[in-house]
Amino acid sequence: MSASTSLKLRLPTFVLVLEVVMIALYGIFVTYDDNSNAKLQNNETDPMENSMYRDYPYFADIQVMIFLGFGCLLAFFRFYGFSGMVFNFLTATFAIQWAILIQGYFQFYSDGKIHLGVINLINAEFACAVVLISFGAVLGKTSPVQLLVMALLEIPIFAVTEWAVLKYLRINDAGGSILIHLFACYFGLGVTFVLYRPRLNKGHPKETTSYNSDILSVMGTLFLWVFWPSFNSALTFKGDDQHRAVLHTFLGLSSSTITAFALSAMFNKRGKITMADIQNVTLAGGVTVGASVDMMISPVAAYALGIMGCAACFFGYKYLTPFLAQRLRIQDQCGIHNLHGLTGLISSTAGICAILMATEDTYGPSMYQIFSHRAPPEGDPKLLELQKLIPGLKPGLGRTAQEQALFQVAAVFATIAAAAAGGLLTGLVMKLPFMASPSDENCFDDELFFNVPSDFDALSDYKITTLIAITLPYLPQ
Amino acid sequence: MSASTSLKLRLPTFVLVLEVVMIALYGIFVTYDDNSNAKLQNNETDPMENSMYRDYPYFADIQVMIFLGFGCLLAFFRFYGFSGMVFNFLTATFAIQWAILIQGYFQFYSDGKIHLGVINLINAEFACAVVLISFGAVLGKTSPVQLLVMALLEIPIFAVTEWAVLKYLRINDAGGSILIHLFACYFGLGVTFVLYRPRLNKGHPKETTSYNSDILSVMGTLFLWVFWPSFNSALTFKGDDQHRAVLHTFLGLSSSTITAFALSAMFNKRGKITMADIQNVTLAGGVTVGASVDMMISPVAAYALGIMGCAACFFGYKYLTPFLAQRLRIQDQCGIHNLHGLTGLISSTAGICAILMATEDTYGPSMYQIFSHRAPPEGDPKLLELQKLIPGLKPGLGRTAQEQALFQVAAVFATIAAAAAGGLLTGLVMKLPFMASPSDENCFDDELFFNVPSDFDALSDYKITTLIAITLPYLPQ
Amino acid sequence: MSASTSLKLRLPTFVLVLEVVMIALYGIFVTYDDNSNAKLQNNETDPMENSMYRDYPYFADIQVMIFLGFGCLLAFFRFYGFSGMVFNFLTATFAIQWAILIQGYFQFYSDGKIHLGVINLINAEFACAVVLISFGAVLGKTSPVQLLVMALLEIPIFAVTEWAVLKYLRINDAGGSILIHLFACYFGLGVTFVLYRPRLNKGHPKETTSYNSDILSVMGTLFLWVFWPSFNSALTFKGDDQHRAVLHTFLGLSSSTITAFALSAMFNKRGKITMADIQNVTLAGGVTVGASVDMMISPVAAYALGIMGCAACFFGYKYLTPFLAQRLRIQDQCGIHNLHGLTGLISSTAGICAILMATEDTYGPSMYQIFSHRAPPEGDPKLLELQKLIPGLKPGLGRTAQEQALFQVAAVFATIAAAAAGGLLTGLVMKLPFMASPSDENCFDDELFFNVPSDFDALSDYKITTLIAITLPYLPQ
């Protein structure tokens, strides 16, 4: 049994083959974009106008979220801290370099080349966030080879879905509630449905936290919390739109945080606070404001959305997660359906309401910039008029608010369907033999895939408790 | 006894009532400011000139300081790490959303509305820092309900003091040495004076650190250290003023850090370094340069201020804190009087000296920009002359350096008086029953308010030491 | 013996003497630069054009790398976490304030003054990084006094080398592969050669990690990883050059990370992952892309460089480090020769190739900006022509690609020679008595220089293992 989880051949083979593929594809297809290509600079180029100065600060913040935020958050298990943090590192790194290629093909491809700038990296980190969220559903029960396979398959399925939704349905989703959170959630649920482990429904002795791992995980939460406004605003229009995205995200997180404390204490038997709620439920507001994050929803709406998202997320953990595991064979290890699914649905609904209520009265002419598909089409005289007020306005599709709302609804269903189907398929591939999948006994255990230091298991509760029980009679007091 | 500290009803009630109030007030009063309102953008708006791009980077840095810096720093107790980090999270979040309203009313209110932009968030995070500093005085001895009550009362008292001092006394205090550090310190001392616990003067068995908690706390120090230049420069004038604020803060922290190491080793019995000094005293320089941080004090003065602040802080911890606790009933748990009070006083004095020594010779005409109250008043012909040199110069009060210095002195005393009175009052409210205040025995103990993991207390020193003592005779060696 | 390592007199004396020197030198020599001097601002100054807004974001990122990145990374020993993190803090702080003076004299000196702005701080933090890398060679075996002496001597030797190479050899080295990484590496090896401790070649019982220290160290790796693009791009030309530096650094780190995982599992006996590889080898790509980081090497080249650097670094740890220790008396504690030396050599070679292959075809006229020494000299008619295309182009030396390549080679050898000689000399000074150097037994032990909390040593493996062995027969199961 232990031989079958050795990474000695599997992991290097997989990685090195992929690297050869990457080198070939990067060599053939990837070149610099207009802002990173020396040849395209001339005497009219102002270096400080380079797109890098608009994008890099957000990229840097998202880097912290991906590698330190997710990394620490996923290290919450007592005997699975190495795996949580380090598999996150591996999976994220691979997912980003892979997404640069795949997304690049769909979004940054012209003249036979993928054109690379920091903006591609931001997009790729969003795709990577999708993979890491899905990872949450199967944390502790998968090998690094399985995680790489998951990233390998999820990135293209995500990229195609994103491309299709943006090209054909044309939706508003600045914070990615639909395309990032809903997709990631239902993909992850699809995977975990296939990887169902009935024996783990009764719990696993190593499925526990320690004092230090709980603190580490809260640090991860705080990294995510602190930089979430950058995440939600990275791809909005510059100017007032991005400004609002920051404000709404902050307010949503803020109200969701204090609500999480209140609910945690209220539904605890002894009126105490549960660390898992602080680690997860506090963040619900960041997702819930996502779909309408750049709209004129008013500050109080962001505040209220934070509370709603938090409540849905909290009760999801309490009632829905056990139900899914026991009745529907969906073991959602980190409860991504609560933090990303339920909140994503609320966010999508809120986005639709915001679209239906948007008027020129509230937005002024820039309404046609934010809701770009509502702008008049090419040739419409109203377009010329608007372009006098907003010089760079692009022609749109002339949609009404109701039409746009319907397309948003379609996007929600299409995304969920594509994600779930993709997740099921990916789960089947991950279940193939030779994937070094851990046995039920070895789940949640760093020792399976890591050389662990000598203090790793020396202090397990059982041993210590027994030691104390035995020696207690001899104690002077 | 244990029933009386249950959060089951108290915390949710308090939070949910506040949320209803918040929703009402945000709904009625809070709207977007000129830079975040879509309607106010037109064909002459350059999105990249949005105030967000000037403010957001400082906001993001201060976010890290508030949530990760303070959070880790306050987690230094061995059995109180959850509480230190997580109560900081709760208190900070609530303080900011509350400060947006209260400060907003005093500073960003017009046409019956509070106008919201990232700049308000920065101001609110400063108000939040005030609460968190005061929190340091009572760390380990307060329930989350008490902390929320403290934030609820401290924010308005602070906002009124800030408003009155800035409006009527009109002082220079870019780094907030007077309004942030002195206020926070004397408010906190007022609170802890009322909450005096005589039995804790002899120490408490859980008032101790662990190897991991000490390291975590140093990480908090480093987060604060690294981003302190952003804190001190966030609200200065843009350009050379902000540039100097960064330089001075860095130099002050730098000299204060190496001084802290020297003093720590020198006054240790066995010539070793004490972690508590590294965690706290190293930061003294950041406060000490505060009041004059944007002035032309010269780099060497910032360096010297760092050393002075560090020395005052160090000897404060050594001699003043025990004195305050035993003679004046002021139990200052984290020694905020050393890190914020003494340094704040030195900083205020240095600021006054810098004001008295400021001449046009050193500053050029921009002296009237930095010391804006010394600018000639409306109608003065010198104003017109100066406005040719500095286009945006606003009319001032025509104060002399001496007059400005006197107002600074007045501000110091007024701030301390308001803070101390406010702290005493707030302490009285916090002492009311139903606040879930921990008993003396249960101080410094996460178990009171948290579900703790099984390894929380398993390894307490006493148990392990006894185990070893008992089994030692049997050891082969 | 224990008396001789007391810091009671040594550390304070050393620090306080240095502070007096610093105050004298800062007072006499350091003033503000054009961007931080109030007097030099006038009615044509646009505050938002202040150099601070171009430099500060990179400075802030590098701050995190220096204090949190290196600090956590160096805290990987189980019983040496305080020392790793805190001596890093002390050494870095001192090195920066010292480098501001020394480098300032060579690079920012005019009219008898060192002119200070944020740009000097960035340069000083690079000098500081040099010291911290060298520190890695002697981690665990040096007192804080020795570390300060090392910084005191290394900074001037580095500053002179840097100045001489940049002034006389005039090289391209945007990411500092030659001047930072190679210098730091061979300086550190020189120091550790002199400080050779034969008895430690057999290992030391405290040379071990713990579960928490391993996680902490990975966090340090992640801080470095996440912000490395800022490090490598901080001093490039603004615009497309800096943009490419970010992209290449990210790609290099990315491929090096997945390669590190593959090699770690492949060469592990049981096919498991070794944390030390994740902590160190993943970062190799950041160094390897350094010398050509701003050139038009193409994205795939950055990707390939990451793989090469990672492989060299990995096999260096496996084969070269033991060889150096046992045969050449070079005990390289953290393996800096692998992470900075071998990768630096690969990077220098890659830089030379990139120089030889650079053509106007690829770069356009801006080739003469990136390779500034290839620009035509003053008076050359081609210069005027080019200046029409690139307005700010400065006259160069009219070097050919081959000439530039030869100067790069010369710089590599000169830097290594100066570093090794300087390191040997510094090692001799550090070996003097009165440096509080720890005895062999006391290496890797926080207790020597710190007051440690009571849980520090209570749980050492030996004690716990024996306890368990003894009580095991009595266990019910």
Side-chain angles (χ1 to χ4, degrees):
Chain A
M1 196 66 207
S2 88
S4 76
T5 59
S6 163
L7 304 173
K8 204 170 177 57
L9 286 177
R10 289 174 184 88
L11 187 65
T13 309
F14 189 84
V15 168
L16 297 178
V17 167
L18 281 174
E19 286 191 334
V20 171
V21 172
M22 293 275 189
I23 288 181
L25 295 176
Y26 271 80
I28 298 168
F29 290 113
V30 182
T31 187
Y32 302 108
D33 76 6
D34 294 2
N35 285 283
S36 60
N37 191 333
K39 200 170 182 184
L40 301 179
Q41 315 307 307
N42 57 42
N43 55 4
E44 289 178 1
T45 316
D46 175 355
M48 295 311 297
E49 293 288 314
N50 197 291
S51 65
M52 136 130 196
Y53 302 110
R54 292 196 295 277
D55 296 327
Y56 186 60
Y58 302 90
F59 171 67
D61 290 356
I62 296 169
Q63 286 263 84
V64 176
M65 294 177 75
I66 294 283
F67 292 93
L68 283 148
F70 276 103
C72 293
L73 185 64
L74 293 176
F76 70 94
F77 279 128
R78 176 169 181 177
F79 301 103
Y80 206 67
F82 284 10
S83 306
M85 182 174 278
V86 165
F87 291 166
N88 179 73
F89 187 18
L90 171 66
T91 310
T93 308
F94 171 69
I96 297 169
Q97 52 184 261
W98 183 227
I100 290 173
L101 281 171
I102 302 294
Q103 266 189 333
Y105 177 74
F106 286 105
Q107 292 185 34
F108 303 98
Y109 189 78
S110 61
D111 306 326
K113 291 282 183 186
I114 294 164
H115 296 265
L116 188 67
V118 171
I119 187 72
N120 309 42
L121 300 189
I122 293 181
N123 274 281
E125 299 221 323
F126 281 140
C128 162
V130 168
V131 177
L132 299 182
I133 293 168
S134 302
F135 175 18
V138 294
L139 182 76
K141 303 185 279 196
T142 36
S143 74
V145 179
Q146 287 180 300
L147 293 172
L148 289 176
V149 168
M150 186 170 93
L152 185 71
L153 299 178
E154 184 165 6
I155 292 288
I157 300 171
F158 167 72
V160 170
T161 309
E162 184 189 26
W163 168 80
V165 166
L166 293 180
K167 187 170 170 78
Y168 295 108
L169 299 179
R170 310 220 173 171
I171 60 162
N172 282 92
D173 185 21
S177 290
I178 299 171
L179 282 170
I180 293 177
H181 296 286
L182 284 182
F183 184 93
C185 166
Y186 290 99
F187 189 97
L189 296 189
V191 170
T192 201
F193 179 81
V194 178
L195 300 185
Y196 183 59
R197 291 169 182 265
R199 289 173 55 204
L200 294 189
N201 261 350
K202 298 154 216 151
H204 186 288
K206 300 226 161 179
E207 212 176 342
T208 171
T209 67
S210 73
Y211 196 63
N212 287 314
S213 73
D214 264 332
I215 286 181
L216 187 66
S217 186
V218 173
M219 286 182 71
T221 302
L222 293 175
F223 279 118
L224 292 172
W225 203 97
V226 154
F227 291 117
W228 205 300
S230 294
F231 186 90
N232 270 0
S233 71
L235 296 182
T236 60
F237 275 98
K238 292 284 159 185
D240 61 297
D241 297 57
Q242 195 168 26
H243 202 145
R244 280 192 300 281
V246 165
L247 297 175
H248 294 154
T249 308
F250 184 84
L251 289 173
L253 284 170
S254 192
S255 66
S256 125
T257 299
I258 62 172
T259 312
F261 276 88
L263 295 176
S264 185
M266 196 192 290
F267 288 88
N268 179 283
K269 262 182 297 186
R270 294 174 302 161
K272 297 190 179 189
I273 294 166
T274 304
M275 284 299 262
D277 297 333
I278 308 310
Q279 287 151 7
N280 296 290
V281 185
T282 53
L283 294 169
V287 184
T288 324
V289 295
S292 54
V293 80
D294 55 344
M295 303 178 188
M296 293 283 290
I297 56 172
S298 86
V300 71
Y303 193 93
L305 278 173
I307 297 175
M308 280 187 263
C310 176
C313 179
F314 180 83
F315 293 112
Y317 274 105
K318 199 151 183 66
Y319 303 112
L320 197 54
T321 299
F323 174 83
L324 290 178
Q326 281 151 26
R327 299 295 168 86
L328 301 184
R329 299 168 35 110
I330 298 175
Q331 292 167 324
D332 179 4
Q333 194 61 45
C334 298
I336 61 169
H337 189 254
N338 313 309
L339 186 47
H340 303 276
L342 297 174
T343 51
L345 290 172
I346 294 175
S347 182
S348 307
T349 312
I352 289 167
C353 295
I355 287 168
L356 288 173
M357 297 192 307
T359 60
E360 275 196 62
D361 228 42
T362 317
Y363 288 83
S366 74
M367 185 177 86
Y368 299 100
Q369 198 168 40
I370 305 174
F371 305 102
S372 52
H373 316 307
R374 296 187 58 187
E378 193 75 65
D380 189 318
K382 188 160 186 215
L383 181 67
L384 296 170
E385 211 174 294
L386 283 166
Q387 280 174 337
K388 276 182 213 149
L389 299 166
I390 306 175
L393 188 71
K394 290 192 190 135
L397 305 169
R399 284 184 185 165
T400 64
Q402 285 72 19
E403 284 167 0
Q404 184 62 41
L406 283 176
F407 280 101
Q408 300 281 131
V409 174
V412 168
F413 285 105
T415 302
I416 291 176
L424 291 170
L425 183 80
T426 303
L428 287 172
V429 179
M430 290 166 73
K431 221 181 173 176
L432 292 177
F434 309 115
M435 289 284 178
S437 176
S439 67
D440 286 356
E441 289 71 30
N442 289 325
C443 284
F444 312 111
D445 192 344
D446 280 336
E447 211 163 359
L448 189 62
F449 295 121
F450 286 89
N451 280 338
V452 291
S454 59
D455 70 337
F456 172 64
D457 197 18
L459 309 174
S460 74
D461 298 342
Y462 174 70
K463 287 189 193 159
I464 285 291
T465 312
T466 320
L467 268 172
I468 289 170
I470 285 171
T471 45
L472 217 58
Y474 302 93
L475 296 193
Q477 191 193 20
Chain B
M1 197 67 211
S2 87
S4 77
T5 58
S6 164
L7 303 174
K8 203 170 176 60
L9 284 178
R10 289 174 182 89
L11 188 66
T13 310
F14 189 85
V15 168
L16 297 178
V17 167
L18 281 174
E19 287 190 335
V20 171
V21 173
M22 293 275 189
I23 287 181
L25 294 176
Y26 270 81
I28 299 168
F29 289 113
V30 182
T31 187
Y32 302 107
D33 76 6
D34 293 2
N35 286 281
S36 59
N37 191 332
K39 202 174 181 182
L40 301 179
Q41 316 306 308
N42 58 42
N43 56 3
E44 290 178 1
T45 316
D46 176 355
M48 295 311 296
E49 293 288 314
N50 196 291
S51 65
M52 137 129 193
Y53 302 109
R54 292 196 295 277
D55 296 328
Y56 185 60
Y58 302 89
F59 171 67
D61 290 356
I62 296 170
Q63 286 262 84
V64 177
M65 294 177 74
I66 294 283
F67 292 93
L68 282 149
F70 276 102
C72 293
L73 186 64
L74 293 176
F76 69 96
F77 280 128
R78 176 167 180 177
F79 301 103
Y80 205 68
F82 283 10
S83 305
M85 182 173 277
V86 166
F87 292 166
N88 179 75
F89 187 19
L90 172 66
T91 311
T93 307
F94 171 68
I96 297 169
Q97 53 184 260
W98 183 226
I100 289 173
L101 281 172
I102 303 293
Q103 265 188 332
Y105 177 74
F106 287 105
Q107 291 184 36
F108 304 98
Y109 189 79
S110 62
D111 306 326
K113 290 283 183 185
I114 294 164
H115 295 266
L116 187 67
V118 171
I119 187 73
N120 310 41
L121 300 189
I122 293 181
N123 274 281
E125 298 221 323
F126 280 141
C128 162
V130 168
V131 177
L132 298 182
I133 293 168
S134 303
F135 175 20
V138 294
L139 182 76
K141 303 184 281 194
T142 36
S143 74
V145 179
Q146 287 180 300
L147 293 172
L148 289 176
V149 168
M150 187 170 94
L152 185 71
L153 298 177
E154 183 164 6
I155 292 287
I157 301 172
F158 167 72
V160 170
T161 309
E162 184 189 27
W163 168 80
V165 165
L166 292 180
K167 186 171 171 79
Y168 295 108
L169 300 179
R170 309 218 173 174
I171 61 163
N172 282 94
D173 185 23
S177 292
I178 300 171
L179 282 170
I180 293 176
H181 296 286
L182 284 181
F183 184 94
C185 167
Y186 289 99
F187 190 97
L189 296 190
V191 170
T192 200
F193 179 83
V194 178
L195 300 186
Y196 183 60
R197 291 170 182 263
R199 289 173 55 203
L200 293 190
N201 262 349
K202 298 153 216 152
H204 185 288
K206 299 226 161 180
E207 214 176 342
T208 172
T209 67
S210 73
Y211 196 64
N212 286 315
S213 73
D214 265 332
I215 286 181
L216 186 67
S217 187
V218 172
M219 286 183 71
T221 302
L222 293 175
F223 279 118
L224 292 171
W225 203 97
V226 153
F227 291 116
W228 206 301
S230 294
F231 186 89
N232 271 359
S233 71
L235 295 181
T236 59
F237 275 98
K238 291 285 159 184
D240 61 297
D241 298 58
Q242 195 168 27
H243 202 148
R244 279 194 300 282
V246 166
L247 297 175
H248 294 154
T249 307
F250 184 84
L251 289 173
L253 284 170
S254 192
S255 65
S256 125
T257 298
I258 63 170
T259 311
F261 277 87
L263 294 175
S264 185
M266 196 193 289
F267 288 88
N268 179 283
K269 262 183 296 188
R270 295 174 300 161
K272 297 189 178 188
I273 294 167
T274 304
M275 284 299 262
D277 297 333
I278 307 309
Q279 287 152 5
N280 295 290
V281 185
T282 52
L283 294 169
V287 183
T288 325
V289 296
S292 55
V293 79
D294 55 344
M295 303 178 189
M296 292 282 291
I297 56 172
S298 84
V300 71
Y303 193 94
L305 279 172
I307 297 174
M308 280 189 264
C310 177
C313 179
F314 181 83
F315 293 112
Y317 273 105
K318 199 150 184 66
Y319 302 113
L320 198 54
T321 299
F323 174 84
L324 290 178
Q326 281 149 25
R327 299 295 168 85
L328 301 184
R329 300 169 33 114
I330 297 174
Q331 291 167 324
D332 178 4
Q333 194 62 42
C334 298
I336 61 168
H337 188 254
N338 313 308
L339 186 47
H340 302 277
L342 297 175
T343 51
L345 291 171
I346 295 176
S347 183
S348 307
T349 313
I352 290 167
C353 296
I355 287 168
L356 288 173
M357 296 191 309
T359 60
E360 275 195 63
D361 230 40
T362 316
Y363 289 81
S366 74
M367 186 177 86
Y368 299 101
Q369 198 169 38
I370 305 174
F371 304 103
S372 53
H373 317 307
R374 295 187 60 187
E378 192 77 63
D380 189 318
K382 190 164 183 214
L383 182 66
L384 295 171
E385 211 174 293
L386 283 166
Q387 280 174 337
K388 276 180 213 150
L389 298 167
I390 305 176
L393 188 71
K394 290 192 189 140
L397 306 168
R399 283 182 186 168
T400 65
Q402 286 72 20
E403 285 168 359
Q404 183 62 41
L406 284 174
F407 280 101
Q408 300 280 131
V409 174
V412 169
F413 285 104
T415 301
I416 292 176
L424 291 171
L425 183 81
T426 302
L428 288 171
V429 178
M430 289 165 71
K431 222 181 171 174
L432 293 176
F434 308 114
M435 289 284 178
S437 177
S439 67
D440 286 356
E441 288 72 30
N442 288 327
C443 284
F444 312 111
D445 192 344
D446 279 336
E447 212 163 358
L448 190 62
F449 294 121
F450 285 89
N451 279 338
V452 291
S454 60
D455 69 337
F456 172 62
D457 197 16
L459 310 174
S460 75
D461 299 341
Y462 174 71
K463 288 190 193 157
I464 285 292
T465 313
T466 320
L467 267 172
I468 289 170
I470 284 172
T471 45
L472 216 58
Y474 302 95
L475 297 194
Q477 189 193 20
Chain C
M1 198 65 210
S2 89
S4 77
T5 57
S6 164
L7 303 174
K8 202 171 177 60
L9 286 178
R10 289 173 182 91
L11 187 66
T13 310
F14 189 85
V15 168
L16 298 177
V17 166
L18 281 174
E19 287 191 332
V20 171
V21 172
M22 293 275 190
I23 287 181
L25 294 176
Y26 270 81
I28 299 169
F29 290 113
V30 182
T31 187
Y32 301 108
D33 77 5
D34 294 3
N35 284 283
S36 60
N37 191 330
K39 202 174 181 182
L40 301 180
Q41 314 308 307
N42 57 42
N43 55 4
E44 290 178 1
T45 316
D46 175 355
M48 294 312 295
E49 293 288 312
N50 197 291
S51 65
M52 137 129 193
Y53 302 109
R54 291 197 294 277
D55 297 327
Y56 185 60
Y58 302 90
F59 171 69
D61 290 355
I62 297 170
Q63 286 262 85
V64 176
M65 294 176 76
I66 295 282
F67 291 94
L68 283 149
F70 277 102
C72 293
L73 185 64
L74 293 176
F76 69 96
F77 280 128
R78 174 166 181 179
F79 301 104
Y80 205 67
F82 284 10
S83 306
M85 183 174 277
V86 165
F87 292 164
N88 179 74
F89 187 18
L90 171 66
T91 311
T93 308
F94 171 68
I96 296 169
Q97 53 183 262
W98 183 227
I100 289 173
L101 280 171
I102 302 291
Q103 265 188 333
Y105 176 74
F106 287 105
Q107 292 184 35
F108 303 99
Y109 189 79
S110 62
D111 306 326
K113 291 282 184 187
I114 294 163
H115 296 266
L116 187 67
V118 170
I119 187 72
N120 309 41
L121 300 189
I122 292 181
N123 274 280
E125 299 221 322
F126 281 140
C128 162
V130 168
V131 177
L132 298 182
I133 293 168
S134 302
F135 175 20
V138 294
L139 182 77
K141 303 185 280 195
T142 36
S143 74
V145 179
Q146 287 180 300
L147 293 172
L148 289 176
V149 168
M150 187 170 94
L152 185 71
L153 298 178
E154 185 165 6
I155 292 289
I157 300 172
F158 167 72
V160 170
T161 309
E162 184 189 27
W163 168 79
V165 165
L166 292 179
K167 186 172 171 77
Y168 294 108
L169 299 179
R170 309 218 173 173
I171 60 164
N172 283 91
D173 185 22
S177 291
I178 300 171
L179 282 170
I180 293 176
H181 296 286
L182 284 181
F183 184 93
C185 167
Y186 290 98
F187 190 97
L189 296 189
V191 169
T192 201
F193 180 82
V194 178
L195 299 185
Y196 183 59
R197 291 169 182 264
R199 289 173 54 202
L200 294 190
N201 262 349
K202 297 154 219 153
H204 186 289
K206 299 225 161 177
E207 213 175 342
T208 173
T209 67
S210 72
Y211 195 64
N212 286 315
S213 73
D214 264 330
I215 286 181
L216 187 66
S217 187
V218 172
M219 285 182 72
T221 302
L222 293 175
F223 279 119
L224 292 171
W225 204 97
V226 155
F227 291 117
W228 206 300
S230 294
F231 186 90
N232 270 359
S233 72
L235 296 181
T236 58
F237 275 98
K238 292 284 158 186
D240 61 297
D241 298 58
Q242 195 167 26
H243 202 147
R244 280 193 300 281
V246 165
L247 298 176
H248 294 154
T249 307
F250 184 84
L251 288 174
L253 284 170
S254 192
S255 65
S256 125
T257 298
I258 63 170
T259 313
F261 276 87
L263 294 176
S264 185
M266 196 193 291
F267 289 89
N268 179 283
K269 262 182 297 186
R270 295 175 300 163
K272 296 189 179 189
I273 294 167
T274 304
M275 285 299 262
D277 296 332
I278 309 309
Q279 287 151 7
N280 296 290
V281 184
T282 51
L283 295 169
V287 184
T288 324
V289 296
S292 55
V293 80
D294 55 345
M295 303 177 188
M296 293 282 290
I297 56 173
S298 85
V300 72
Y303 193 93
L305 279 172
I307 297 175
M308 279 188 263
C310 176
C313 179
F314 181 83
F315 294 112
Y317 273 104
K318 198 148 186 67
Y319 302 113
L320 198 54
T321 300
F323 174 83
L324 290 177
Q326 280 151 27
R327 300 296 168 87
L328 301 184
R329 300 168 34 110
I330 297 174
Q331 292 168 323
D332 178 4
Q333 193 63 43
C334 298
I336 61 168
H337 189 255
N338 313 309
L339 187 46
H340 303 277
L342 296 174
T343 51
L345 290 171
I346 295 175
S347 183
S348 308
T349 311
I352 289 167
C353 296
I355 287 168
L356 288 173
M357 297 190 309
T359 60
E360 276 196 61
D361 229 42
T362 316
Y363 289 81
S366 75
M367 186 177 86
Y368 299 100
Q369 199 169 39
I370 305 174
F371 305 102
S372 52
H373 317 307
R374 296 187 60 186
E378 191 77 64
D380 189 318
K382 186 159 187 217
L383 182 66
L384 296 171
E385 211 174 294
L386 282 166
Q387 281 174 336
K388 276 181 214 150
L389 298 166
I390 306 176
L393 189 71
K394 289 189 191 143
L397 305 169
R399 284 183 185 166
T400 65
Q402 287 72 19
E403 284 168 1
Q404 184 61 41
L406 284 175
F407 280 102
Q408 301 280 131
V409 174
V412 169
F413 285 104
T415 301
I416 291 177
L424 292 171
L425 184 83
T426 303
L428 288 172
V429 178
M430 289 165 72
K431 220 182 174 175
L432 292 178
F434 309 115
M435 290 284 179
S437 176
S439 67
D440 287 356
E441 288 73 30
N442 288 327
C443 284
F444 312 110
D445 192 344
D446 279 337
E447 209 162 1
L448 190 62
F449 295 121
F450 286 88
N451 280 338
V452 290
S454 59
D455 69 337
F456 172 63
D457 197 16
L459 310 174
S460 76
D461 300 340
Y462 175 71
K463 288 188 193 158
I464 285 292
T465 312
T466 320
L467 268 171
I468 290 169
I470 284 172
T471 44
L472 217 58
Y474 303 93
L475 297 193
Q477 189 192 18

